[in-house]
Amino acid sequence: MPSPKGPPELRHLERVLVSPQAIKRRVAALGERLNADYARKDMMVVAIVNGALIFTADLLRVLRSPLRLDCLRASSYHTGTRAVGEPRIVDQMKLDVKGHHVLLVDDILDTGKTLAAVAGLIKDKGAASVRTCVLLDKKARRAVPFEADYVGFEIPNEFVVGYGLDFNERYRNLPCIGVLKPRYYREK
Ligand code: 5GP
Ligand code: MG
């Protein structure tokens, strides 16, 4: 049952796949791995927003390496739960990645097209290294061969919302990851 103090839209969820407590524990564990792997590297964290906003914010607070942050915006889900066409970079980064160790952070690895395209682009711009970190991985949906270096949770092939992930820009503020009741997936 949703807490009486939680967002009212928690009631739109049919099922919770990942609880706030599980997210917190996993983010802490991922942060520790990153702290070890980047201990002697100056890191550039690049978040793919809006989806990775909350995950990145929580991850950053666990990271101890000196780092810089930039964001970029990629778009393929225009409405609904299906990607429309190939991903497009609709807002470029401000920092120069040349010679830097880039950690690309996204909310979810689905077909793999977005991260494959963005990682390729950052390599082409001369980054010293590019690794990828995703909170969620829907392996069953992969359309291009791509695996992330750091994965929070593997989830089944369902469209999920919460903790940064939206449906038509809603539900990003839910503290957990869940599946909506079918009636809320209807296009408005
Ligand atoms: P890919 O290019 O890997 O197919 O898509 C990645 C992007 O699609 C993610 O960054 C996310 O914005 C969106 N996406 C894929 N699956 C889901 C999902 O289950 N829920 C939500 N809200 N977005 C998703
Ligand atoms: Mg996204």
Side-chain angles (χ1 to χ4, degrees):
M1 277 308 268
S3 136
K5 289 213 181 84
E9 283 181 325
L10 276 172
R11 291 192 203 95
H12 294 199
L13 293 182
E14 180 173 80
R15 252 169 336 115
V16 172
L17 288 185
V18 193
S19 70
Q21 296 77 9
I23 294 173
K24 197 169 177 206
R25 280 195 299 271
R26 193 71 190 113
V27 169
L30 283 175
E32 286 314 322
R33 270 188 60 203
L34 288 163
N35 282 331
D37 293 356
Y38 286 86
R40 269 165 289 278
K41 286 183 190 142
D42 199 352
M43 200 180 185
M44 192 179 284
V45 177
V46 177
I48 305 182
V49 292
N50 296 332
L53 191 68
I54 294 177
F55 176 41
T56 308
D58 283 347
L59 196 60
L60 285 185
R61 283 176 277 201
V62 187
L63 296 181
R64 287 190 296 270
S65 334
L67 60 81
R68 284 185 290 167
L69 171 70
D70 205 347
C71 296
L72 64 77
R73 205 174 273 269
S75 166
S76 57
Y77 279 88
H78 299 293
T79 56
T81 60
R82 290 283 145 190
V84 183
E86 295 300 306
R88 291 177 304 132
I89 311 278
V90 290
D91 188 13
Q92 290 288 349
M93 301 175 53
K94 305 281 182 291
L95 297 177
D96 184 3
V97 298
K98 208 178 172 99
H100 289 283
H101 296 285
V102 173
L103 180 73
L104 253 178
V105 183
D106 205 358
D107 50 0
I108 185 164
L109 182 52
D110 186 35
T111 65
K113 288 182 182 176
T114 304
L115 273 180
V118 175
L121 195 126
I122 290 176
K123 274 182 203 142
D124 291 348
K125 286 187 174 182
S129 70
V130 184
R131 287 188 189 172
T132 52
C133 175
V134 294
L135 179 68
L136 305 171
D137 186 357
K138 273 202 271 191
K139 278 202 189 308
R141 289 259 308 154
R142 210 71 93 247
V144 297
F146 191 92
E147 295 307 325
D149 300 287
Y150 305 89
V151 174
F153 302 91
E154 262 187 49
I155 60 162
N157 184 9
E158 287 183 277
F159 192 87
V160 294
V161 299
Y163 196 70
L165 291 107
D166 73 308
F167 174 66
N168 286 348
E169 292 305 323
R170 294 193 169 274
Y171 307 110
R172 294 194 196 274
N173 58 328
L174 301 190
C176 57
I177 308 282
V179 181
L180 289 174
K181 291 174 184 163
R183 66 174 176 276
Y184 294 107
Y185 283 123
R186 265 171 230 139
E187 311 276 333
K188 303 246 160 52

